Amino acid sequence: MDELLQEFISETQETLEALAGEVVAWEADPSDRDRLDAIFRFFHTVKGSCGFLNLPRFERLSHAAEDVLSEIRAGNRSPDPATVSAVLGIMDRIGELAEAVAIGAALPNENDDFLIGALSAMPDEAVVETVGKVQAPVAVARQGGAQSGPRTIRLPLSLIDQLMNGVSDMVLARNELSRKLRERTADPELDNVFERLSTCVADMRDVISKTRMQRVDRLFAAIPRMVRDLGRELGKRIDLTLEGGDVEMDREMVEMVVDPLTHIVRNSIDHGIETPEKRRAAGKPEMGSLRVEARQSGNQIVIAIADDGAGIDTARLVEKSVLAGRLTPDAAARMGEQEKLDLIFQPGLSTANQVTAISGRGVGMDVVRANVERIGGVIALDNHPGQGLTITLRVPLTLTIIPGLIVRAGGQHFAIPRAAVVEILHDNNETLQISQVGGAQIATIRSVRHSMIDLEDVLGMEKPVQSGPRAIMVVRSATGVPFAMGVSAVDNHEELVIRPASPLVMATGVYAGMTLPDNGKPMLLLDAAGLANAARLPNIIDDRAARQREEAADAQTGVEMVAALRFEELSGEKRLLKLSLIERVEDVDARLFGRSGGRAFVRLDGRLVPVANGLCQFDRDKVSALRLKDDRREACYPVAAVLDIVQMPAVPDMVAMHGLLSGVAVIDGEHLEVVNPFALFAALPEESIVERAMGRCLLADAEDGWTREILAPLLRQAGHDVVLGLPVDAIVDPEDVVLCADAGAAQAAEIMGCRVVQLRASPRPVGPQDGSIYRYDQAALMAAIAGQRS
């Protein structure tokens, strides 16, 4: 019987927490039959279980609520606020009784008749004050007493904690063993055994970690009821929005954040959101808005509580602080707005004009901050007087294990979650270009631009001198925009045990906790979003806001403006080109430029790209070049120098279309020619000549040393599939290209149906009919291969 009673109490407590918000939602939408049925089933299940468990008070309370809900289901009664409050009161009383039974305490001897009588009372005076306390995770009530879902077993939470601590120690021991094995001579048999052990540890870690994780819904469960009751008590109408309930966090964190979150929500309702009369006078909607949102950022949970109330009156805070003798008038006069706002965290200081049962005693925000910092979190305020206040809690996931990377910067080691890293490459990689624009670094990786930071600069460390290349990491930030981060090196990857760091460390905003790698020396875990914020990198929201400001400014002047690049031609003229057409700006080796078939080309990324202005001879080793692209084709535009980015009229001030120019625009008193993009791309050669279709190249002269050692590596580097010799079975693809020096071999290849590029050893052709290509004319060779595939 004891086991049955314990199961009944546990399930009752779990279901009560879930249903508190459901009752409030049902009150807002009485037509929601599913919610009404779920509430009815709860009381029906409690009543049915109490008979053989000998719990008469449970049975009497649940039977009364069931009768009223049955009338509502039958359409004989409406769910007015008084009835809903009475149902909530019955639920609270059942929760109190269940808690008393669970801890073996005497049952509260309150008057149950008052609660049962309130069920039949109609006026608002029947509303009862509830003090129920929920303590168990969310669950779904059993329907009709029948078992549903997977089989479960209840375990003490202390046992789960011991298991997690044991797995954490196993991971550390596994990491140390891995380091020892790396220092020894390779032993395949031992390595296989270690891999099996690592797999078992990883599987056990994942399973036990899930037992500790709970959805943030647990935090949100009591908020709708709280908002409803306080709103009715204070005469305020509040529209509540909850988001992110499916985010998971450690059970310990859920329990530790409940109290701070509850206090902040109560303060928002009591102090923040005004009464309907004051909101009307301020030009606001009568119904206030309260939004509670949770999201995961790296190894942290971010909980934001925002209201559209009056915000914090910092002048009032300063006044009270001066009157309390904690601040001198001179010191108050020198304080900035953020310093004044931080006064809210002083013990005993409140902006409330009078003490209420809800808040205003000055015992609150200092305790909230202390509780948050005790678990390694931080709290931030974003105050907009007269418009609202947003309070953001950033708390760690505490004890957990994640895959991570160990990076080196400034002579020290740091960790970063592997999930935050998109890509790693070195700064000497051909696909990477790093440039300076307006004092900021821009990393262009395969035609995609990223804002770039060096970790040493963000952390205020000295960048060491190193002989080898630096590592560039593309990091996924919570802002939605990836950024590039330079570090000295990426040393290792391993499973990391994460623990909270001290409040002072977490207050910097760039760390998400502390970790213990395989060498046992603590290191700090980097927070990608915090690094982006510390470096003030742009994000999607900022870009949209800036664009809206620019559009508003353009609308006022009545002239449509576009962004343009001002540059200097190699011939000395200064011109403009629409910025949206420029993919990137880079320095190109002058030796990569050449001419073939009367057209200028440059070899970029293993492809032949046409030169838009036809130049291919330069008096310098490196040439600044604009990489241009429309929807299909691309071009290279060599210039003498890139000057700056300006705003120019969409239609030039003077239209004079000739050649590659469309007119003249006046920028800051300077007359600049505008390049016509239509004429520029129209003058490019056909796409088939420019773009190379990757395919198979058959080298007929397989025994020739030049073919094997020089031609074949060149073609492979350009991305072609190279075959030495012709297939003996004569099975070829019509798109295959045969390269040969012998005319007989060329004729045989044509008979096989292949396309042929004939090479010659002499720079000069034998005669006017000689269609062969000089074997060291790289630009002509690549163009010929691409042309053959047209």
Side-chain angles (χ1 to χ4, degrees), residues 160-180:
I160 301 296
D161 293 340
Q162 291 177 12
L163 287 173
M164 192 63 191
N165 291 334
V167 170
S168 299
D169 293 338
M170 288 174 64
V171 171
L172 293 176
R174 191 274 311 272
N175 292 345
E176 185 175 0
L177 178 59
S178 175
R179 179 170 57 87
K180 294 292 185 182

Side-chain angles (χ1 to χ4, degrees), residues 34-103:
D34 292 338
R35 282 196 169 100
L36 174 59
D37 290 344
I39 300 167
F40 177 83
R41 281 195 301 270
F42 165 72
F43 288 109
H44 180 76
T45 301
V46 171
K47 186 188 74 169
S49 302
C50 292
F52 65 89
L53 290 176
N54 192 23
L55 297 172
R57 291 183 65 184
F58 282 85
E59 183 177 9
R60 186 162 174 260
L61 290 166
S62 58
H63 182 72
E66 183 187 20
D67 287 345
V68 171
L69 293 173
S70 180
E71 291 182 15
I72 295 175
R73 295 176 75 196
N76 299 326
R77 182 168 179 171
S78 61
D80 56 89
T83 301
V84 173
S85 296
V87 171
L88 289 171
I90 294 288
M91 292 172 61
D92 288 340
R93 179 58 53 81
I94 291 176
E96 295 172 9
L97 296 175
E99 183 177 357
V101 172
I103 63 177

Side-chain angles (χ1 to χ4, degrees), residues 667-689:
I667 306 296
D668 297 332
E670 184 180 15
H671 291 70
L672 300 172
E673 295 176 327
V674 180
V675 177
N676 183 355
F678 184 89
L680 187 150
F681 280 97
L684 297 180
E686 293 297 327
E687 183 178 3
S688 59
I689 299 176

Side-chain angles (χ1 to χ4, degrees), residues 757-778:
V757 174
Q758 191 172 352
L759 306 175
R760 65 174 185 270
S762 172
R764 298 179 181 177
V766 175
Q769 302 301 322
D770 185 5
S772 62
I773 296 174
Y774 177 44
R775 64 182 184 176
Y776 280 114
D777 189 346
Q778 178 179 328

